[in-house]
Amino acid sequence: MKVFVIHRHSDRAKATKFVKDAKKSLGISLDPILLNNSSAPNWKARAEEEIRTAELVLVFDTEACSKSENAEWEIEIAGKLSKPIVEFNRRETIEVAMEDLKLAYNFENEFDECFSVGQQQTEGNFELFKIMVETSEELIRRRQITNGFFITIIGGLLAGSGFALKEKLIADEATLLLLVPTVLGMLLCWSWRNLIDNYGKLNKAKFKVINKLEMELSSRVFSAEWIALGKGVRKEKYRSFTETEKNVPLLFMMLLFLVAIYISLDWLWPSILSLWTQIQGISHPP
């Protein structure tokens, strides 16, 4: 996340350290923008452009910034551009600012605003709840179809390469051509693994919405189910399907890698034997 940091020049080192500590403690990706010099001729134009492209504006030490005309101008521009602003006040604890930064990073406030209208329309919310559950089930079906597709394609590449090697369908000098399908298979495995990961993230987001809508119902069955499963932190009760599924492409990738090594050795073996014979001849002359 690109963050424009508004700060006094004298606090530059402290502001940089604050962002660095936030990245480490919160485990989030931040790309801080701290302008070096506010006396440059085009400083305001550059500052406005950086604020425009930033996802978030961080005001480091609001009390100190209130005494700076340039910092006040930057805050004003951020407000005009409707940028979310996180303020750090030295009178508050760092944890408060960190929490605000985390909420902004995860779009928590924007997420809650999506439910701020029409909360009393229970019947309408129930219809939305049913739609989200149905789309979640549809996502699972799509995920299974995707897994089946990749297993079929990659399994076919493995079987085809193995059959071609066993039956010597390709001349020895052209054996390396079989590396093409194996490399293609490994690339497909990588793509497959990324898709599984994204399906998992999408499903997690859907259930976050489902759980939010469920709060309007008399019984929160999905939330109860998640609690019964230990909220995902009790490994003896529940292990993520996504994490388990992501191992399957890795196993296929390892198999393809072994096949690639075998193909390479099969192609190099005559040369290795010839070289070994020459070495033996040199070592033991007649």
Side-chain angles (χ1 to χ4, degrees), residues 9 31 53 100 105 113 116 119 131 135-136 148 225 229 233:
H9 183 72
D31 179 19
T53 57
D100 290 341
Y105 182 84
E113 287 173 3
S116 61
Q119 285 291 312
I131 291 172
T135 57
S136 177
E225 180 185 46
L229 291 172
V233 296

Side-chain angles (χ1 to χ4, degrees), residues 35-87:
L35 296 186
N36 291 322
N37 192 355
S38 60
S39 60
N42 61 342
W43 168 77
K44 285 193 173 183
R46 185 188 171 195
E48 185 171 351
E49 180 60 27
E50 293 289 1
I51 293 172
R52 189 186 306 277
T53 57
E55 289 185 47
L56 175 75
V57 173
L58 171 65
V59 182
F60 183 81
D61 195 347
T62 52
E63 186 175 343
C65 287
S66 65
K67 300 175 183 178
S68 168
E69 183 179 338
N70 291 333
E72 286 286 291
W73 177 84
E74 289 175 325
I75 295 172
E76 182 182 351
I77 292 298
K80 288 181 179 179
L81 294 174
S82 301
K83 292 293 179 179
I85 299 175
V86 172
E87 297 181 346

Side-chain angles (χ1 to χ4, degrees), residues 225-240:
E225 180 185 46
W226 186 236
I227 293 170
L229 291 172
K231 294 185 176 182
V233 296
R234 301 289 185 266
K235 300 302 181 183
E236 69 276 9
K237 290 187 175 183
Y238 174 80
R239 288 184 181 273
S240 169

Side-chain angles (χ1 to χ4, degrees), residues 10-21:
S10 57
D11 291 331
R12 181 179 180 82
K14 294 178 182 178
T16 302
K17 184 178 184 302
F18 174 82
V19 175
K20 185 177 180 180
D21 291 343

